Coordinates of all heavy atoms in Angstrom, one line a residue:
Y187 N 17.1 38.3 30.2 CA 17.1 39.8 30.0 C 18.4 40.2 29.2 O 19.4 39.4 29.2 CB 17.1 40.5 31.4 CG 18.2 40.0 32.3 CD1 19.5 40.6 32.3 CD2 18.0 39.0 33.3 CE1 20.5 40.2 33.1 CE2 19.0 38.6 34.1 CZ 20.2 39.2 34.1 OH 21.2 38.8 34.9
P188 N 18.3 41.3 28.6 CA 19.5 41.8 27.8 C 20.5 42.5 28.7 O 20.2 42.8 29.8 CB 18.9 42.8 26.8 CG 17.8 43.3 27.6 CD 17.2 42.2 28.4
H189 N 21.7 42.7 28.2 CA 22.7 43.5 29.0 C 22.2 44.9 29.2 O 22.4 45.5 30.2 CB 24.0 43.5 28.3 CG 24.8 42.3 28.4 ND1 25.2 41.5 27.3 CD2 25.3 41.6 29.5 CE1 25.9 40.5 27.8 NE2 26.0 40.5 29.1
A190 N 21.5 45.4 28.1 CA 21.1 46.8 28.2 C 19.9 46.9 27.2 O 19.7 46.1 26.3 CB 22.2 47.8 27.8
R191 N 19.2 48.0 27.4 CA 18.2 48.4 26.4 C 18.3 49.9 26.1 O 18.4 50.7 27.1 CB 16.8 48.1 27.0 CG 15.7 48.5 26.0 CD 14.3 47.9 26.5 NE 14.2 46.5 26.3 CZ 13.9 45.9 25.1 NH1 13.8 46.6 24.0 NH2 13.8 44.6 25.0
K192 N 18.3 50.2 24.9 CA 18.4 51.6 24.4 C 17.0 52.1 24.1 O 16.2 51.5 23.4 CB 19.2 51.8 23.2 CG 19.4 53.2 22.6 CD 20.1 53.2 21.4 CE 20.1 54.6 20.8 NZ 20.6 54.8 19.5
V193 N 16.6 53.3 24.7 CA 15.3 53.9 24.5 C 15.6 55.4 24.2 O 16.0 56.1 25.1 CB 14.4 53.7 25.7 CG1 13.0 54.4 25.4 CG2 14.2 52.3 26.1
G194 N 15.4 55.8 23.0 CA 15.8 57.1 22.6 C 17.2 57.3 22.8 O 18.0 56.5 22.3
N195 N 17.6 58.3 23.5 CA 19.1 58.5 23.8 C 19.5 58.1 25.2 O 20.5 58.4 25.7 CB 19.5 60.0 23.5 CG 19.0 60.9 24.6 OD1 17.9 60.7 25.2 ND2 19.7 62.0 24.8
L196 N 18.6 57.3 25.8 CA 18.9 56.7 27.1 C 19.3 55.2 27.0 O 18.7 54.5 26.2 CB 17.7 56.9 28.0 CG 17.3 58.3 28.4 CD1 16.0 58.3 29.2 CD2 18.4 59.0 29.1
L197 N 20.2 54.8 27.9 CA 20.7 53.5 27.9 C 20.4 52.9 29.3 O 20.9 53.6 30.3 CB 22.2 53.4 27.6 CG 22.7 52.0 27.5 CD1 22.1 51.2 26.3 CD2 24.3 52.0 27.3
F198 N 19.7 51.8 29.5 CA 19.4 51.2 30.8 C 20.1 49.9 30.8 O 19.8 49.0 30.0 CB 17.9 51.0 30.9 CG 17.1 52.3 30.8 CD1 16.7 52.8 29.6 CD2 16.8 53.0 32.0 CE1 16.0 54.0 29.5 CE2 16.1 54.2 31.9 CZ 15.7 54.7 30.7
L199 N 21.1 49.8 31.7 CA 21.8 48.5 31.9 C 21.1 47.6 32.9 O 20.6 48.1 33.9 CB 23.2 48.7 32.4 CG 24.3 49.0 31.3 CD1 24.0 50.4 30.7 CD2 25.7 49.0 31.9
S200 N 21.0 46.3 32.6 CA 20.5 45.4 33.6 C 21.5 45.3 34.7 O 22.6 45.8 34.6 CB 20.3 44.0 33.0 OG 19.3 44.0 32.0
G201 N 21.2 44.7 35.8 CA 22.1 44.6 37.0 C 23.4 43.9 36.5 O 23.4 42.9 35.8
V202 N 24.5 44.5 36.9 CA 25.9 44.1 36.4 C 26.7 43.7 37.7 O 26.8 44.5 38.6 CB 26.6 45.1 35.6 CG1 28.0 44.6 35.2 CG2 25.8 45.6 34.4
G203 N 27.2 42.4 37.7 CA 28.0 41.9 38.7 C 29.4 41.7 38.3 O 29.8 42.1 37.2
P204 N 30.2 41.1 39.1 CA 31.7 41.0 38.8 C 32.1 39.7 38.1 O 33.2 39.5 37.8 CB 32.3 40.9 40.2 CG 31.2 40.3 41.1 CD 29.9 40.8 40.5
R205 N 31.1 38.8 37.7 CA 31.5 37.6 37.0 C 32.2 38.0 35.7 O 32.1 39.1 35.2 CB 30.2 36.8 36.6 CG 29.5 36.2 37.8 CD 28.3 35.4 37.4 NE 27.4 36.1 36.6 CZ 27.1 35.9 35.3 NH1 27.8 34.9 34.7 NH2 26.2 36.6 34.6
E206 N 33.0 37.0 35.2 CA 33.7 37.2 33.9 C 33.0 36.3 32.9 O 32.5 35.3 33.2 CB 35.2 36.8 34.1 CG 35.9 37.8 34.9 CD 37.4 37.4 35.1 OE1 37.8 36.3 34.7 OE2 38.1 38.2 35.6
R207 N 33.0 36.8 31.6 CA 32.4 36.1 30.5 C 33.0 34.7 30.4 O 34.2 34.6 30.3 CB 32.5 36.9 29.3 CG 31.7 36.2 28.1 CD 31.6 37.1 26.9 NE 30.6 36.6 26.0 CZ 29.3 36.8 26.0 NH1 28.8 37.6 26.9 NH2 28.5 36.3 25.1
G208 N 32.1 33.7 30.3 CA 32.6 32.3 30.0 C 33.3 31.7 31.2 O 33.8 30.6 31.0
A209 N 33.4 32.3 32.3 CA 34.1 31.7 33.4 C 33.2 31.4 34.6 O 32.2 32.1 34.8 CB 35.2 32.6 33.9
K210 N 33.5 30.3 35.3 CA 32.7 30.0 36.5 C 33.2 30.7 37.7 O 32.4 31.1 38.6 CB 32.7 28.5 36.7 CG 32.1 27.7 35.6 CD 31.3 26.5 36.2 CE 30.8 25.7 35.0 NZ 29.3 25.8 34.9
K211 N 34.5 31.0 37.8 CA 35.1 31.6 38.9 C 34.7 33.1 38.9 O 34.7 33.8 37.9 CB 36.6 31.5 38.9 CG 37.3 32.2 40.0 CD 38.5 31.4 40.6 CE 39.3 32.1 41.6 NZ 38.5 32.6 42.8
I212 N 34.4 33.6 40.1 CA 34.0 35.0 40.2 C 35.2 35.8 40.8 O 35.7 35.3 41.9 CB 32.8 35.2 41.1 CG1 31.6 34.4 40.5 CG2 32.4 36.7 41.3 CD1 30.4 34.3 41.4
P213 N 35.7 36.8 40.2 CA 36.9 37.5 40.8 C 36.6 37.9 42.2 O 35.6 38.5 42.6 CB 37.0 38.8 39.9 CG 36.4 38.3 38.6 CD 35.2 37.4 39.0
G214 N 37.6 37.7 43.1 CA 37.5 38.1 44.5 C 36.6 37.2 45.3 O 36.3 37.6 46.5
V215 N 36.1 36.1 44.9 CA 35.2 35.3 45.6 C 35.7 33.8 45.8 O 36.2 33.2 44.9 CB 33.8 35.2 45.0 CG1 32.8 34.3 45.7 CG2 33.2 36.6 44.8
E216 N 35.7 33.4 47.1 CA 36.0 32.0 47.4 C 34.7 31.3 47.8 O 34.1 31.7 48.7 CB 37.1 31.9 48.5 CG 37.5 30.5 48.8 CD 38.4 30.4 49.9 OE1 39.1 31.4 50.3 OE2 38.5 29.3 50.5
L217 N 34.4 30.2 47.1 CA 33.1 29.4 47.4 C 33.4 28.1 48.1 O 34.5 27.5 47.8 CB 32.3 29.2 46.1 CG 31.9 30.5 45.4 CD1 31.3 30.0 44.1 CD2 31.0 31.3 46.2
D218 N 32.5 27.6 48.9 CA 32.6 26.3 49.4 C 32.1 25.3 48.4 O 31.6 25.6 47.3 CB 32.0 26.1 50.8 CG 30.5 26.3 50.8 OD1 29.8 26.2 49.7 OD2 29.9 26.5 51.9
E219 N 32.1 24.0 48.8 CA 31.6 22.9 47.8 C 30.1 23.1 47.5 O 29.6 22.5 46.5 CB 31.9 21.5 48.4 CG 31.2 21.2 49.7 CD 31.9 21.8 51.0 OE1 33.0 22.3 50.9 OE2 31.2 21.8 52.0
K220 N 29.3 23.8 48.3 CA 27.9 24.0 48.0 C 27.6 25.3 47.3 O 26.5 25.6 47.1 CB 27.1 24.0 49.4 CG 27.2 22.7 50.1 CD 26.4 22.7 51.3 CE 26.4 21.4 52.1 NZ 25.7 21.4 53.3
G221 N 28.7 26.0 46.9 CA 28.5 27.2 46.2 C 28.2 28.4 47.0 O 27.8 29.5 46.5
Q222 N 28.5 28.3 48.3 CA 28.2 29.4 49.2 C 29.5 30.2 49.4 O 30.6 29.7 49.4 CB 27.7 28.9 50.6 CG 26.4 28.1 50.5 CD 25.3 29.0 50.0 OE1 25.0 30.0 50.4 NE2 24.6 28.4 49.0
I223 N 29.4 31.5 49.6 CA 30.6 32.4 49.8 C 31.3 32.1 51.1 O 30.7 32.1 52.2 CB 30.2 33.9 49.8 CG1 29.6 34.3 48.4 CG2 31.4 34.8 50.1 CD1 29.0 35.7 48.3
V224 N 32.6 31.7 51.0 CA 33.4 31.5 52.2 C 34.1 32.8 52.6 O 34.1 33.2 53.7 CB 34.5 30.4 51.9 CG1 35.5 30.3 53.1 CG2 33.8 29.1 51.7
S225 N 34.6 33.5 51.5 CA 35.2 34.8 51.7 C 35.2 35.6 50.4 O 35.0 35.0 49.3 CB 36.7 34.7 52.2 OG 37.5 34.1 51.2
Y226 N 35.3 36.9 50.5 CA 35.3 37.7 49.2 C 36.2 38.9 49.4 O 36.3 39.4 50.5 CB 33.9 38.0 48.8 CG 33.1 38.9 49.7 CD1 33.2 40.3 49.5 CD2 32.4 38.4 50.7 CE1 32.5 41.2 50.3 CE2 31.7 39.3 51.6 CZ 31.7 40.7 51.3 OH 31.1 41.5 52.2

Side-chain angles (χ1 to χ4, degrees):
Y187 54 85
H189 283 121
R191 182 169 285 281
K192 179 183 175 192
V193 181
N195 72 331
L196 296 175
L197 184 66
F198 300 88
L199 277 65
S200 296
V202 180
R205 291 181 306 109
E206 293 180 345
R207 185 169 193 87
K210 296 218 185 250
K211 178 140 175 59
I212 300 167
V215 177
E216 182 184 340
L217 302 174
D218 65 16
E219 64 280 347
K220 294 181 182 176
Q222 300 300 310
I223 298 174
V224 173
S225 66
Y226 66 92

